[in-house]
Amino acid sequence: MSETLQATGAEQEAEQAEREAPDQDVDRGGERSSDSEDLLVREGDIAGDYLERLLDLLDYDGDIDLDVEAGRAVVSIDGGDDLEKLVGPRGSVLEALQELTRLAVQQETGVRSRLMLDIARWRESRRAELAEIGRANADKVLASGQPVKLQPMTPFERKVVHDSIAAIEGVHSESEGEEPHRRVVVFPAD
């Protein structure tokens, strides 16, 4: 239990740092700063090697795709029949693997990674579900004028819900509670 809280706390710190950190890239005639881009590519390579060794140990098939999006390394694993086992219930195994992969990258680079891991396109499909949850609850709040509390969510889930609610006029959202029971609350606009 404490390991889960530590991983979630580390993820919260990473989210907070992401919101507060200024963009480190410098535009040079259409080109991004090569230092930060190179570090992200290196993070992706280290993560890819780490995850490839893991898949080999488990004897799971999967194609690893490395990318850089929105100032973070993104690693996706697709293609294998057994990959759903690496997602786990509500993405719990995926979250743990993401944290372990971030730690492996940090050990190599000496820098805390904000790497995002997706397996079997779970995050992609979960984003769509969460955005719909956010919209549906915003509609409830707009109709009733009363706040709505959602079920506890991971930092990833809360961010997606907050983003979907932020796009709707007449409502706003806040997070309340402590991990692992932290949840989104949707309020009518003042």
Side-chain angles (χ1 to χ4, degrees), residues 6 10 20 33 38 53 55 64 67 82 87 94 117 120 132 139 156 162 177 179 186:
Q6 289 172 351
E20 294 173 356
S33 169
D38 289 347
R53 288 191 307 270
L55 291 175
I64 298 175
D67 202 358
D82 295 319
V87 173
L94 171 60
L117 175 62
E132 180 53 36
D139 289 344
F156 160 75
H162 284 306
E179 295 294 352
V186 186

Side-chain angles (χ1 to χ4, degrees), residues 3 13 22 37 47 51 58 64 72-73 76 84-85 89 99 109 114 156 162 166 169 172 176 179 182 189:
E3 294 167 356
E13 290 172 17
E37 187 81 15
L51 292 165
L58 296 171
I64 298 175
R72 72 168 45 181
S76 302
E84 290 295 325
K85 295 174 186 172
E99 189 60 27
T109 65
R114 296 184 316 117
F156 160 75
H162 284 306
E169 203 162 317
H172 72 278
E176 72 174 23
E179 295 294 352
R182 197 157 171 80

Side-chain angles (χ1 to χ4, degrees), residues 46-65:
I46 293 166
D49 291 345
Y50 176 81
L51 292 165
E52 189 169 327
R53 288 191 307 270
L54 174 69
L55 291 175
D56 287 345
L57 284 170
L58 296 171
D59 197 26
Y60 285 6
D61 290 325
D63 298 320
I64 298 175
D65 181 43

Side-chain angles (χ1 to χ4, degrees), residues 119-131:
I119 299 175
R121 300 187 188 273
W122 184 83
R123 285 193 195 275
E124 183 179 312
S125 63
R126 185 70 176 140
R127 270 189 187 96
E129 291 172 24
L130 291 164

Side-chain angles (χ1 to χ4, degrees), residues 14-25:
E15 277 186 11
Q16 184 67 25
E18 177 182 338
R19 285 190 294 269
E20 294 173 356
D23 190 355
Q24 299 293 324
D25 293 332

Side-chain angles (χ1 to χ4, degrees), residues 18-190:
E18 177 182 338
R19 285 190 294 269
E20 294 173 356
D23 190 355
Q24 299 293 324
D25 293 332
V26 176
D27 191 353
R28 294 191 178 117
E31 293 182 48
R32 306 291 270 174
S33 169
S34 63
D35 288 343
S36 61
E37 187 81 15
D38 289 347
L39 177 60
L40 295 175
V41 169
R42 183 167 176 235
E43 284 184 14
D45 289 341
I46 293 166
D49 291 345
Y50 176 81
L51 292 165
E52 189 169 327
R53 288 191 307 270
L54 174 69
L55 291 175
D56 287 345
L57 284 170
L58 296 171
D59 197 26
Y60 285 6
D61 290 325
D63 298 320
I64 298 175
D65 181 43
L66 310 173
D67 202 358
V68 174
E69 295 174 8
R72 72 168 45 181
V74 178
V75 180
S76 302
I77 305 174
D78 291 309
D81 295 331
D82 295 319
L83 293 179
E84 290 295 325
K85 295 174 186 172
L86 296 179
V87 173
R90 292 192 63 215
S92 59
V93 176
L94 171 60
E95 292 293 334
L97 286 173
Q98 176 176 274
E99 189 60 27
L100 288 172
T101 304
R102 286 176 173 179
L103 291 171
V105 169
Q106 181 178 352
Q107 187 174 24
E108 289 284 322
T109 65
V111 177
R112 175 78 180 140
S113 175
R114 296 184 316 117
L115 175 136
M116 180 66 72
L117 175 62
D118 195 5
I119 299 175
R121 300 187 188 273
W122 184 83
R123 285 193 195 275
E124 183 179 312
S125 63
R126 185 70 176 140
R127 270 189 187 96
E129 291 172 24
L130 291 164
E132 180 53 36
I133 288 170
R135 285 189 295 270
N137 282 286
D139 289 344
K140 284 182 189 177
V141 170
L142 287 170
S144 72
Q146 298 298 312
V148 173
K149 290 184 180 185
L150 281 63
Q151 69 181 9
M153 297 180 180
T154 67
F156 160 75
E157 292 171 324
R158 289 192 309 271
K159 180 172 183 347
V160 174
V161 171
H162 284 306
D163 289 348
S164 71
I165 291 169
I168 300 171
E169 203 162 317
V171 293
H172 72 278
S173 61
E174 298 175 12
S175 290
E176 72 174 23
E178 299 295 322
E179 295 294 352
H181 304 291
R182 197 157 171 80
R183 66 182 67 233
V184 173
V185 182
V186 186
F187 296 96
D190 296 330

